[in-house]
Amino acid sequence: ELTFTALSYRTGPYAANGIPFADGYEDYFTLLNERDGGIGGEPVRLIECETGYNTEKGVECYEGTKSSGALVYQPLSTGITYQLIPKMTADQIPMHSMGYGRTSAKNGEVFRWIFNYPANYWDGASIAIKHLLDVNDGDLSGKKIALVYHNSAYGKEPIRTLEELAEKHGYELSLLPVDHPGQEQKSQWLQIRRDRPDHVIMWGWGVMNQVAIQEAVNIRYPMENFLGIWWSGSENDVKPAGDGADGYKALAFHNFGSDYPLFDDLKEHVIDKGLAAGAGDQVGSVLYNRGLYAAMLAAEAAKTAQEIHGVSKITPVMMRDGMEALEMTEAKMTELGLPGFGPEFKVSCQNHGGNGFAAVGQWDAAAGEWTMITDYMQADQDVLGPLIEEDSMAYAAESGIEPGCN
Amino acid sequence: MFYREAGDFKSSYVEDSQTFPIKFDRYRYYVVLIFAFAVVPFVVNDYWVNAIFMPFLIYSIAAIGLNILVGYCGQVSLGTGGFMAVGAFACYKLMTAFPDISIIIHVILAGGITAIVGVLFGLPSLRIKGFYLAVATLAAQFFLVWLFNRVPWFYNYSATGQITAPERTVVGAPVTGANTDAWAAYFFCLVFTVACAIIARNLTRGAQGRKWMAIRDMDIAAEIIGVDPLKAKLSAFAVSSFFVGISGALFFAIYLGAVEVGEVFGIQKSFLVLFMVIIGGLGSIFGSFAGAAFLVLLPVLLKNTLVGGLGWPTDLAAHIEFMVVGALIVIFLIAEPHGLAQLWRIAKEKLRLWPFPH
Amino acid sequence: MLDATQTPSGTKAETVLEINNIEVIYNSVILVLKGVSLRVPKGGITALLGGNGAGKTTTLKAISNLLHSERGEVTKGSILYRGETIQNLTPNDLVKKGVIQVMEGRHCFEHLTVEENLLTGAYTRGAGKGDIDADLNMVYDYFPRLKERRRSQAGYTSGGEQQMVAIGRALMSKPETILLDEPSMGLAPQLVEQIFGIVKSLNENQGYTFLLAEQNTNVALRFAHYGYILESGRVVMDGPADDLRENPDVKEFYLGMSDEGRKSFRNVRSYRRRKRWLA
Amino acid sequence: MLDASDEGYITADGRKIGGVLMEMKNISLRFGGVKAITDITFDIREGEIRAIIGPNGAGKSSMLNVISGFYVPQEGEVWYKGEKRPPMKPFQVAQLGIARTFQNIALFEGMSVLDNVMTGRLNYMKTGLLAQAIWKGKAEKEETENREVVEKIIDFLEIQTIRKTPVSRLPYGLKKRVELARALAAEPSLLLLDEPMAGMNVEEKEDMSRFILDVNDEFGTTIALIEHDMGVVMDLSDRVVVMDYGKKIGDGTPDEVRKNQAVIDAYLGVAHD
Amino acid sequence: MPDQLVYAMEVFLNGLMAGVLYALVALGFVLIYKASGIFNFAQGVMALFAALTLVGIMEGRVPFAHLIKAVTGADVHHFGWTVPSLAAILLTMLVMVFLAWAVNKLIFNHLVNQEPIILFMATIGLAYFMEGFGDLMWGAEIKKLDVGLPQGINDAIDEVTFGWFGYGFFIDNLDIAATIVAVILVILLVMFSQYTKQGRAMRAVADDHQAALSVGISLNFIWVLVWSLAGFVALAAGIMWGTKSGVQFSLSLIALKALPVLMLGGFTSIPGAIVGGLIIGVGEKLFEFAIGPIIGGATENWFAYVLALIFLVFRPQGLFGEKIIERV
Ligand SMILES: Nc1ncnc2c1ncn2[C@@H]1O[C@H](COP(=O)(O)OP(=O)(O)OP(=O)(O)O)[C@@H](O)[C@H]1O
Ligand SMILES: Nc1ncnc2c1ncn2[C@@H]1O[C@H](COP(=O)(O)OP(=O)(O)OP(=O)(O)O)[C@@H](O)[C@H]1O
Ligand SMILES: [Mg+2]
Ligand SMILES: [Mg+2]
């Protein structure tokens, strides 16, 4: 038996986003159990623990489940991630903070137990600029870009990168913080209306996303110039604004929709059997797919670990080795029934963050779905590399970690 | 039968004003203390310490602090989260600026700094009363959180705005950082909690406590019989914030280890501690413990029975948990508006009369 | 023992309010009334006398069902109004039935003006504006001082003024039976006389029934027809007011009279412990 | 009027009354349009029992509030112990040795009787916060010393049995007594009593009168007293001020006041014997 | 006119509009506080609950679908019908009346004559309960709410102001609708509380429960009435905010925006809620506009409170609140 945990939040202010993710994560493991009898012959046991997006509850969940032999944690909250980094390092259990958490955890020499593949926030920032370069024929000089961000550690993540890139590409960056929860953004959007930035980038979460998009619609800001990070790009965020949100863009590190062979299996083995998690009405939504994707990566890492160590019943320590040796190729994904579902990437001891690929999706209000409008692009690793090095080494110094790979 | 006052004579006023005038209570108190200091550290595991004991002990300090302000002095405050943040950030700045000084001193100093900030925000209480004051203290809550989020100096210019507790030891054993043993963290918190409880008890049983209670019960009359409202209120704010600051420091340094201010010390925290105080019982040190235990333990217990025991989906369990906690609060209030402490007191009164009904 | 429903003239009046052997417990531990029985005849003035903490207020609150909100409850016995049990009625049902209580210690609505306070008294009545205005004027006639202060918030009026407001407010409900708790407390002597005068005239002219709890035994017995004396939650003595006034014990302990007439307060040099009826 | 010289006078029952302790000079107090007190002047002498009487709403309680610094009169001066009292906060007035009770009992409902009475001694308890936090030693000693004083007062007022009862559970009359105890605990030089006997029966009034007289006798405390029971007022007081509609309409010995026609008209109704 | 001034005017106008939205939430607090001295912590959750119920009825959602599925395995989500918005609003009002009745029957009936802080605590219990209950009943996902209110920039104002200043002002149609609703509500409520006997009784109850009982005012009736009114106001607020951001848990957090309004206007004054709302709205928007950029922005949350605090220091009962009676 292999144990996985899902620290999910189906309640609280971010429940609307937590539910589809948790459903996807859970359904994938149910599928493995039903269809394949688990991973490498070992049935999967999934322990779900409700955090309500609350740090203390997250810690409680971790402490309560860690002795169950859980192979990997997906804390699904930057706050909880930060709490758990030192604890899990000490306990020698790997963590996967996929597309969130501490960016510099990419440096596996310092953060031995933490993984954040396939992409992180700084990648996101860089790819966003890359996309804007593309739509502006490669030249952003003199352009005005506004960043509307959640006024928290999460929202502030991209600022460093965007500032760095502003120097490189010559655009003008203005910062517009929005306080939690973000229901009232009149000031920010009036300012945008006055300053008429050429592009708006958003780092939002929860209700802030919906309000921002609605306000953008209200001031008739051109939606195609409005680009969100992947946490600002689900159906939840655009639907309340109705047709006005048509054309809004967001980054993504996995594909949309349920048009993949795997979903047929899901329907057969999970949904039709009435085994779907939650209300079962989230299949194919962006965040559901993200949960599914996270589970898939976890399962693949477990498989890799089983191969490396030649045992089916792996331990968290072995799991780490599997994660560190994980390689996602197109062939592998096709075999899994998810062709082209995510970028190809490879993890190594030095690089726990994958290769930093992401793509841009766009909301089609009439069809009610997200569509990919670009290929996966790689973030500007020249700019990001040093930043990550600097931040992770600072952490290493602070916490007395000897960076290295063994 | 054994719970009797009769035969338990006091021959001096000192004996009469001790904390547990009844012998049986006194013995029980000693037993609990011995158990907490000499037994628990040897048997606890990580889960018990991190999920239950530490939050319980740390929240107890915060609840005692807030109880002094709300329960004893009658000044309702919703700024607890902000003041805990002051404690946490003060502790962080001290820990990083003076790494060679003992963390014990840092925690106490953090309390002191919070006390100063508390007094500052307590000034309006001289004019503003009741719920107006409660809402006014929210200004402190929001402003402080904004400040710690906004001014990089507070988080030593770290890229993320988070603060992380470096490792510190007390007599050789690490009490902060990743290498801390559960028992060490527990012990460290326990010592602070017990010390705070004793201090709080001492302050509230004597002249100072009476000044506070007089202000609480009827501020005008208190002033006319000679209580300086300025001093009484501000001292309550100071003492209360001192405790709250200590709990914030412990919360950050020992319990969580890393903190993002908006998330951990947000307004939710203010409410949570206030709930503890009211459910436990206003104006009762024991109540602060009871309230903290109630609100820390109950959700864990419910979760473990509903999810672990009955195997319900986590979200249903979570919703039902909310409903049960809410309903229990109401039921307790209806059964006894003055909190768990009062329930306990009435139970004791009944015990004393037992087996007679009146 | 005599019966309260026995009028002085010997005819037997109808009993409106009957309390049989009630027990009241506060906070489910403090036993306050230990078997109190009373009868209040229709159209009479019945006085409930007794020292501090005897249980007068508690008795009245038990009748008007206000105990509930003080965490007290009637655990034994029954309370009948016109032969009906009223223990399960809400206080406002009771007001509709014509029983109203004037609470001890004034209890005005501080933020309402004096006039608004009076108007709340008419809350249960479906009466038109004209009727209510007429009653308002009646109250102002009784208490001219209130008319002067009609526009000020009750919270700022003096203690005596508040007492007038409380009584006036009760009158506004056009009750049949009024439970008066210490109406004379804090009132100037002239006003005490006046208020009892009003009680008397309401009783005689409008047929209102009164049950009044009083410390001021002197006045109470002068105006009441019948009296009950309560001590530590028990009725220790009752009888027609005139008889009670002649009773030597009552004279000594409740009226402050000694053989030589009224004694001076200055001359009570020793604390004489009185003999208790129930020691 | 008594011909009271500056040195005082001798009362009918032979007590010696001293010089002027407190003097109210031309006090006027208004609340918006309401004239609560209009140009009132009177004095209180050392060792004296001084009554203030008058119809409801005459401004008696307001006068006490002026004395204890809770109301600030628009006009007039307050002289205390021969000095003009500068504007003061009520708690400073209390520290001058003026204690009082209230018309609508103002006890601290959340505390026990003992604690309530102990609050009366707050001005004598000076240990700092730190010493109190440690308790053992200074704070404990101070507590015990003051407790002894308070226990004496409790004994004196015969409220031993309810020492530990929360005051919210007490009947009205006992609350009044506890309030008196609290005021006495301050060992005041001037004690202000606002209707101390309202809501009491004769026996209790007798007890209360006894207490008041004994306080006055034993401790030499000066007492100013508002009361509606004419029996009590006339028997206890040495001099009486009569107010009506905020004005002073009479001042003198009980006998003089009793015969004053203005007083009879405004207040007494009938001449009391 | 200099640009900055024109912008400031636009910010000012938008501040007024935002203020009205805050006031709408604050009104609910005022009503209950006025009639029972209860500081109703659950007001925000009530707005959420009302909006959830409205959406649920409009879309014909099956209540407790999730619970039913977990218990019986039956997967039912929708009844299959939709209800027109007006009818749905009326039905929701009925639900709010029922809620008021239940709250009173189960909770406040048992807490007559308790101190304000105890009652406050009870509303916290209620908030917890309803938070779980609302989610359990209708699910936690975001729901779109569209009762047909106009939304987006008002073109007429845009054009007119463009003609005047060369810069078109942005005013949201939804805000205009909210203003109209709020004004109507305030007028009705003021008339109710000042000129009807129930209104007077309501204020009496707030002062003294026991005395109100003793003159025959039925606390039950008054409280059900007032909680129903507060429920209607919550519904209005829920519709406005829900239209803007979708109906979801965060809706309950709008209560936090209402508190400074309440403080400033006075807890007991209905007009105070509006005036307070306007001052807060304008104040925080102008401050963010003028000072925000200098000190790093996102000042609105704390500024509203600090502004209210400053007002309170001068008038401890808020602008229009009843004077706190201090007598001995
Ligand atoms: N809410 C309460 N909780 C506990 N005990 C109470 C409560 N109210 C009254 N009592 C007790 O009940 C007894 C009777 O009180 P009650 O008020 O009925 O006396 P009373 O005769 O009206 O006295 P008084 O003349 O002083 O008003 C007292 O001993 C009092 O302590
Ligand atoms: N704070 C205040 N604001 C407004 N009016 C007041 C205030 N205090 C007292 N008054 C008014 O001043 C007048 C005198 O009040 P005061 O309480 O002094 O009367 P009193 O002589 O003590 O009467 P009682 O014998 O009824 O207690 C009253 O009309 C009262 O309404
Ligand atoms: Mg009584
Ligand atoms: Mg008075």
Side-chain angles (χ1 to χ4, degrees), chain A residues 175-323:
Chain A
L175 300 176
L176 298 170
V178 174
D179 254 342
H180 171 85
Q183 238 131 0
E184 178 54 43
Q185 300 177 28
K186 204 127 252 163
S187 303
Q188 287 81 4
W189 290 94
L190 282 177
Q191 190 174 341
I192 287 174
R193 186 161 176 271
R194 286 193 298 269
D195 297 351
R196 304 188 174 283
D198 300 282
H199 295 276
V200 175
I201 298 177
M202 171 159 74
W203 240 255
W205 187 222
V207 73
M208 173 185 162
N209 289 337
Q210 291 103 54
V211 172
I213 293 171
Q214 181 65 55
E215 292 285 4
V217 173
N218 288 349
I219 66 163
R220 304 209 177 124
Y221 188 80
M223 278 295 147
E224 45 292 344
N225 292 345
F226 190 8
L227 176 65
I229 181 68
W230 40 74
W231 298 113
S232 301
S234 72
E235 290 84 355
N236 287 334
D237 303 325
V238 281
K239 274 190 175 157
D243 290 342
D246 189 61
Y248 170 72
K249 292 176 185 170
L251 298 176
F253 52 78
H254 57 80
N255 272 16
F256 308 119
S258 51
D259 211 0
Y260 296 89
L262 182 94
F263 282 83
D264 301 332
D265 286 357
L266 258 183
K267 187 162 163 38
E268 182 188 336
H269 295 284
V270 181
I271 296 165
D272 290 349
K273 282 192 196 163
L275 296 173
D281 54 358
Q282 299 287 340
V283 182
S285 72
V286 175
L287 291 167
Y288 180 92
N289 283 10
R290 194 162 301 159
L292 190 87
Y293 185 59
M296 186 267 276
L297 294 182
E300 289 313 301
K303 277 184 206 160
T304 315
Q306 288 171 334
E307 281 159 24
I308 295 173
H309 290 278
V311 288
S312 64
K313 202 173 159 11
I314 54 171
T315 62
V317 179
M318 297 175 184
M319 180 71 182
R320 195 193 79 90
D321 297 337
M323 292 173 81

Side-chain angles (χ1 to χ4, degrees), chain C residues 52 106 265-266 268-269, chain D residues 104 203-204 210 235-236:
Chain C
N52 287 131
R106 291 134 201 160
F265 285 100
R266 190 171 270 285
V268 268
R269 274 291 161 200
Chain D
N104 285 323
E203 188 197 15
E204 290 154 351
R210 203 51 266 143
D235 290 350
L236 297 192

